[in-house]
Amino acid sequence: AAGGSRRGTTPDLTELLPQWLAAAEGYGYRAPEALLPALLDAARARTDLRPAALALAGPRAVWLARLNDEWKFALRGIGGPAAPPGADDPEEVRLRWEEGLFAERVALLTALRRRDPRAGLALLVTTWSTERAEDRLMFLDSLREGLSAADEPFLEQALSDRSRNVRATAAELLSALPGSALAARMARRARTCIGLDRTADPAAIVVEAPHECDAGMQRDGVTPKPPSGRGERSWWLGQLVEAAPLEGWHERFAGRDPAAIVALPVADDWRTELHDAWSRAAVRQRNADWARALLGAPGAPSHAAEVAPAGSTRDLTKLLTVLPDDERAGWVAEFIAAHGLSDAFRMLGVCAVPWAEPLGRSVVDALDIARDAGSYPWSFSGVMGLAERCLDPAAADRLDMLTAVTDEPEGASPGSGGYWSEAFQRLVGTLRLRATMRAELTPAPGGRTAP
């Protein structure tokens, strides 16, 4: 267990492995050969370490993997040494695509899409009609890398695929291309359902949800049957709005910007349904202006829970991922200052590391407030674990004062002061260890970077 649920003051080295691997790879290091077995064992136990671990291990990891079945994952080309061949070797690309293991083929397609999206699509087309449905779905998902208008003809054909899941994924990808024909079709449908009543005072959004889910809607990815507890018409409406380009609402609402549109009243209790659909569209289309408008002020009472308001399926964390790093960190810092840490764990997990100063300070202040309230630190174990990995190591010295055992307030949990002291000692010790780790890996000016 990490963070405040772990006793003692010793840093958890395993939790720092991802940062160490990333830093070592960033400086161009290769792991000493004597450490390769331990590195492969770590990567076998934790799939999240594999790309960085294999990159650090270098080509010898492949040689070792052929001698030990437990390391076979290194033969699949998941990042690092077994990376797919370059575009200058088309015959090897063809052989690996036609004869490789499924994981090798996924890795090959993903790598090609990163390097040359058109070449990746061309490779997929060569075998598409003969692939199994579950494989087609995985390959189609790989097209998210480098998705562009050049992929539209292929994705339009995939809307007629015999697999429902493939059709749905193709529709989702097309709706992420605001200029696609599917996006235009969805926009036309959505506009027939949503308009502006200028006769109202103030002007209000009016909604008339679809009365049927016709064959055209279903081909374009609208699922006709709603989940339990959802009405059919609201379910269809949400899917239409989610897939419609957000830029189109500017004209529909008389030139208003996203913030002004979101601020409009919505008639007949459709506000939550409509804003939730716009939130999903903002995430899918990576539209920061709309995400900003839908998030609103971090101190708003409606944000007292991470999914807000009541009855909403809106995911504030996903909306936050659309914002630039600095703005995201600032929003979360203000959220914590207003609402505390209870609903902030997932938000913190999407903030850039190391945390910006305002965010780090907000987290530490909230932990200090929790200590003063007399609760046990393991109630905040997840946040404390994140703080150990994500706070700026430069903050260690000014956090020293938190390591002292404080007087416990009346009604406090027995022994909580000592447990908090332990947790803060571990936090400070981990920050100093991270600083040392980074300093040891940083090459000296003019020195070698890849021993």
Side-chain angles (χ1 to χ4, degrees), residues 224-246:
K225 185 176 180 180
S228 177
R230 290 288 300 276
E232 281 186 337
R233 296 180 65 199
S234 65
W235 172 243
W236 300 333
L237 175 75
Q239 293 178 80
L240 295 182
V241 174
E242 178 181 355
L246 288 163

Side-chain angles (χ1 to χ4, degrees), residues 9-184:
T9 60
T10 305
D12 186 347
L13 298 180
T14 61
E15 290 299 318
L16 301 183
L17 261 178
Q19 290 186 29
W20 187 87
L21 289 169
E25 181 184 0
Y27 288 126
Y29 286 106
R30 285 291 176 265
E33 293 175 359
L35 295 182
L36 291 182
L39 188 58
L40 288 169
D41 280 340
R44 177 176 63 86
R46 290 178 55 179
T47 57
D48 63 307
L49 298 179
R50 289 181 184 178
L54 293 178
L56 188 69
R60 283 189 178 272
V62 178
W63 178 80
L64 282 173
R66 295 192 180 102
L67 305 177
N68 186 339
D69 287 345
E70 292 185 344
W71 299 333
K72 277 189 174 179
F73 65 86
L75 302 176
R76 298 173 189 156
I78 311 298
D88 57 345
D89 195 350
E91 181 60 22
E92 191 172 349
V93 169
R94 184 189 66 80
L95 286 173
R96 186 175 294 219
W97 179 249
E98 293 178 356
E99 301 176 7
L101 299 172
F102 176 68
E104 292 176 319
R105 300 179 73 212
V106 171
L108 173 62
L109 179 60
T110 300
L112 283 178
R113 287 290 291 185
R114 288 173 181 165
R115 184 186 309 147
D116 185 347
R118 288 179 182 270
L121 178 62
L123 184 68
L124 178 58
V125 168
T126 61
T127 60
W128 177 257
S129 62
T130 61
E131 303 288 356
R132 300 182 306 166
E134 55 267 36
D135 293 351
R136 291 200 306 278
L137 181 62
M138 289 293 293
F139 292 142
L140 195 63
D141 199 60
S142 297
L143 296 188
R144 297 181 193 277
E145 291 276 356
L147 183 67
S148 73
D151 301 313
E152 183 178 357
F154 174 78
L155 293 172
E156 274 284 343
Q157 292 180 359
L159 291 175
S160 301
D161 194 271
R162 55 189 181 273
S163 165
R164 179 176 62 83
N165 290 333
V166 170
R167 295 195 302 270
T169 301
E172 180 192 345
L173 292 173
L174 283 167
S175 69
L177 293 171
S180 69
L182 179 140

Side-chain angles (χ1 to χ4, degrees), residues 175 186 189-190 193-194 207-210 217 221-223 226-227 230-246 249 270-282 284-285 313:
S175 69
M186 289 302 209
R189 293 173 180 129
C193 299
I194 299 166
V207 176
E208 180 66 28
M217 290 167 61
V222 178
T223 304
R230 290 288 300 276
E232 281 186 337
R233 296 180 65 199
S234 65
W235 172 243
W236 300 333
L237 175 75
Q239 293 178 80
L240 295 182
V241 174
E242 178 181 355
L246 288 163
W249 298 112
W270 281 104
R271 180 183 177 87
T272 296
E273 190 73 45
L274 182 58
H275 284 202
D276 285 357
W278 276 335
S279 296
R280 295 192 297 274
R284 182 181 295 189
Q285 298 171 35
T313 59

